[in-house]
Amino acid sequence: MAFGNLVRLVVVKHKVEAIRSLAASQKLLDHMKQFGTVTSFKFMRDPVTNERTGLAFVSYLQYSDAEEAIRTRLQTVSGLPEPHNTIDVTPKK
């Protein structure tokens, strides 16, 4: 793999309705940890309302962990309520 194609930061699109509590945030973080060591986990917020936008950024220690996380784009997070438990994982561009 060429150096320019390496990814350590992934974008997680989620349903805001599913991630309203600290416990739900922890479930999403735990799901992303299954791919490797997470070094940063941050929810994006609207600068005016401070509400979550439905995006989270996850950084991994190893490039291979991030590559593994994005291998399956649509994923199901156990413990989150249906139909809001599906996330879309993509590389940050």
Side-chain angles (χ1 to χ4, degrees):
M1 179 181 297
F3 182 77
N5 293 335
L6 294 177
V7 174
R8 281 185 28 198
L9 181 64
V10 299
V11 178
V12 178
K13 294 179 186 170
H14 63 85
K15 300 289 186 192
V16 174
E17 298 84 7
I19 316 287
R20 294 219 180 263
S21 68
L22 183 59
S25 298
Q26 185 65 47
K27 287 180 192 308
L28 180 58
L29 174 58
D30 290 343
H31 176 82
M32 298 312 293
K33 283 182 175 180
Q34 73 180 317
F35 302 108
T37 302
V38 172
T39 59
S40 175
F41 181 76
K42 180 180 178 183
F43 288 101
M44 292 302 299
R45 294 187 176 271
D46 181 288
V48 175
T49 65
N50 202 35
E51 294 289 320
R52 289 186 180 169
T53 62
L55 292 178
F57 293 96
V58 182
S59 294
Y60 288 96
L61 183 62
Q62 301 292 326
Y63 292 105
S64 58
D65 298 339
E67 293 292 329
E68 183 66 27
I70 61 176
R71 186 161 307 186
T72 304
R73 183 170 177 169
L74 293 178
Q75 302 176 22
T76 302
V77 180
S78 31
L80 293 181
E82 290 184 25
H84 307 296
N85 59 345
T86 300
I87 60 173
D88 184 2
V89 182
T90 57
K92 183 171 185 304
K93 301 190 185 221

